[in-house]
Each structure stands twice: as C-alpha cells, then as structure tokens.
C-alpha cells in the first residue's frame, strides 16, 4: 500500500519557468511533510518542510503548499534553474521534528525533474 | 554543518557472505538512526530504527536476523547484511538525528550493494 504517491515520474521545464511537483497521501495521521532532492548514488538532501498546521511554507525559490482536505501537497520552484535537475521525493511523517516519530519517513516514488537551459 | 558519513559507498560481495555498512554522525550525537533501502526506480523504504544502547525496531517484513543493526555509540550505527543473496542487492541509506527537539534529519550518501 503506497501511502505517499508521486504520480508523475518525470517533469521537464524550461529554465526560468516554474516547476510544480505534486504529491498525494492517504494516511490522515501524517502531520509533517518534507521535500528532498536526490542525485544518483547520493543520499537525499533536505529542501523544505511543512507542518500540518500550515498550508504554505516558503524558502527562497522553494514553496510548499499543503491541502489537507485533499491530502495533497506540492512543491513550487521559481525560477527553475538547470542545477535543480534531480529526483525529488516527498516524504511524510507522523509527528513533527519535535516528536519521537520524526525520522520514520514514508517516501513517495520520486519525480525526475529536468530543467533545460 | 552536520554530516552523516556512510561507508563503504559501494560493495560487491559473493552470495552467502556477510557485509557490514557503517553510518557515522561526524559532528553531532545521533541518538536515533534510521536505515532505508531503495530499489531501482522505487521509493526509499524504511527498514529499521536504531536507538543508541537499545535494540533496533524493525519495520514489518524486514528480517531482523538477516539485517543486523548495532548502534553501539552515539556516533555510529552499523547494518550487517548476513548471508547475502542477489535479491539483497540494493541501495542502502542511513539517516540520523540529534538530541534536540528541533534537530533535523540528515542522510548519508548511501551504499550500493551488489551480491553476485
């Protein structure tokens, strides 16, 4: 049972435009969500997170939106840069950074983002 | 910043042998470490949670006798794949968090295991 789903295996965007990566989840107990960026043969690198008490969190070019009623979150990258090309994973957790459950992440399958110059 | 080091980065072993993977937190004390594995084109799947000084907690479907986890110190956790078989070939990644309530989660660079 895939509790976190990224239905788009790949996304191609022109440099300077917006990249929108989507993620859906089924477990209503999830209350903390994270986005990671991953290059081949490397571990994931944390990008941005959001708690379920918020619907938006912004950090520079990265913004994460959370729609709890739809059990959907998205990552917006504006403007997209060629260096953003990587695999992006969304992940969910029961319990936030202060909770003992934090770290037990359920990951989506990932979306390969390619930003063309 | 905080760094998690994983060693080796890749290993090839023969079927039936055992392989040990190390995960070290380099500049912080990691009370909890997590071991994940990733099959090609699939998501990272949590295998087990490793707490310093206590037994690891394994996720459903993960054989604890096959994947031995030892978290002997606050900076080191090891995963030993015992009697490895070709189906154990995968990408294994550890992650660690420190003591503080706001302590973030850091990932190692992973270990590519190939069993021939």
């Amino acid at each position: 049972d895939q509790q976190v789903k990224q239905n788009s295996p790949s996304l191609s965007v022109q440099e300077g435009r917006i990249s929108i990566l989507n993620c859906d989840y089924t477990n209503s107990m999830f209350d903390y969500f994270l986005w990671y960026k991953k290059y081949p043969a490397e571990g994931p690198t944390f990008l941005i997170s959001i708690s379920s008490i918020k619907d938006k969190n912004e950090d520079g070019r990265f913004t994460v939106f959370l729609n709890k009623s739809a059990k959907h979150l998205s990552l917006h990258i504006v403007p997209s840069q060629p260096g953003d090309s990587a695999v992006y994973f969304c992940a969910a957790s029961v319990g936030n950074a202060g909770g003992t459950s934090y770290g037990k992440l359920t990951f989506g399958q990932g979306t390969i983002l390619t930003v063309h110059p | 910043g905080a760094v998690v080091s994983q060693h080796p980065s890749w290993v090839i072993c023969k079927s039936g042998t055992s392989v040990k993977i190390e995960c070290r937190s380099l500049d912080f004390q990691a009370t909890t470490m997590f071991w994940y594995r990733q099959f090609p084109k699939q998501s990272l799947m949590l295998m087990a949670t490793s707490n310093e000084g206590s037994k690891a907690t394994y996720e459903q479907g993960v054989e604890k006798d096959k994947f031995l986890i030892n978290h002997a110190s606050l900076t080191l956790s090891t995963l030993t794949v015992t009697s490895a078989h070709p189906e154990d070939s995968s990408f294994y990644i550890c992650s660690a968090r420190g003591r503080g309530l706001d302590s973030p989660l850091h990932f190692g660079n992973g270990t590519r295991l190939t069993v021939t």
Side-chain angles (χ1 to χ4, degrees):
Chain A
D1 176 32
Q2 189 76 27
Q3 296 186 55
V4 178
K5 298 180 182 179
Q6 292 175 256
N7 292 316
S8 298
S10 64
L11 175 68
S12 183
V13 173
Q14 202 69 29
E15 181 179 7
R17 306 294 290 269
I18 184 172
S19 295
I20 300 176
L21 298 132
N22 293 303
C23 180
D24 298 294
Y25 63 96
T26 57
N27 188 344
S28 58
M29 296 297 291
F30 289 142
D31 58 3
Y32 195 66
F33 305 89
L34 309 92
W35 283 94
Y36 286 88
K37 176 181 180 180
K38 185 181 181 299
Y39 294 110
E42 292 185 10
T45 302
F46 171 75
L47 279 176
I48 192 169
S49 64
I50 188 167
S51 166
S52 59
I53 62 174
K54 295 184 177 181
D55 55 18
K56 177 183 176 182
N57 189 26
E58 191 172 352
D59 184 3
R61 296 186 298 115
F62 302 93
T63 303
V64 56
F65 295 91
L66 175 63
N67 183 333
K68 283 181 292 183
S69 61
K71 293 190 177 67
H72 176 84
L73 64 154
S74 61
L75 174 68
H76 293 210
I77 306 175
V78 181
S80 301
Q81 300 172 354
D84 295 329
S85 298
V87 180
Y88 287 78
F89 288 95
C90 70
S93 172
V94 176
N96 60 17
T100 56
S101 297
Y102 179 52
K104 294 184 67 174
L105 300 176
T106 301
F107 283 86
Q109 309 96 309
T111 297
I112 301 171
L113 173 66
T114 304
V115 180
H116 299 283
Chain B
V3 176
V4 173
S5 173
Q6 198 170 329
H7 178 81
S9 55
W10 61 271
V11 57
I12 301 173
C13 70
K14 291 186 177 180
S15 191
T17 61
S18 295
V19 174
K20 180 184 284 188
I21 302 170
E22 293 186 347
C23 180
R24 293 181 184 272
S25 56
L26 296 185
D27 59 0
F28 68 100
Q29 293 184 330
T31 54
T32 306
M33 289 184 173
F34 303 89
W35 287 95
Y36 291 82
R37 69 186 294 183
Q38 183 186 24
F39 291 105
K41 298 183 180 180
Q42 294 189 27
S43 61
L44 287 81
M45 300 294 293
L46 178 65
M47 298 175 65
T49 302
S50 169
N51 296 296
E52 188 268 336
S54 64
K55 291 183 178 180
T57 304
Y58 290 82
E59 296 300 303
Q60 189 175 8
V62 178
E63 299 176 60
K64 62 180 181 180
D65 294 330
K66 180 165 186 63
F67 299 99
L68 300 179
I69 292 173
N70 187 340
H71 194 160
S73 77
L74 285 171
T75 59
L76 174 65
S77 176
T78 60
L79 168 68
T80 302
V81 183
T82 63
S83 187
H85 290 284
E87 56 264 32
D88 298 325
S89 298
S90 188
F91 191 57
Y92 293 86
I93 304 176
C94 71
S95 65
R97 63 170 297 196
R99 291 181 180 274
L101 290 177
D102 294 329
S103 181
L105 190 66
H106 300 280
F107 282 84
N109 279 342
T111 297
R112 170 71 62 193
L113 170 63
T114 302
V115 184
T116 61

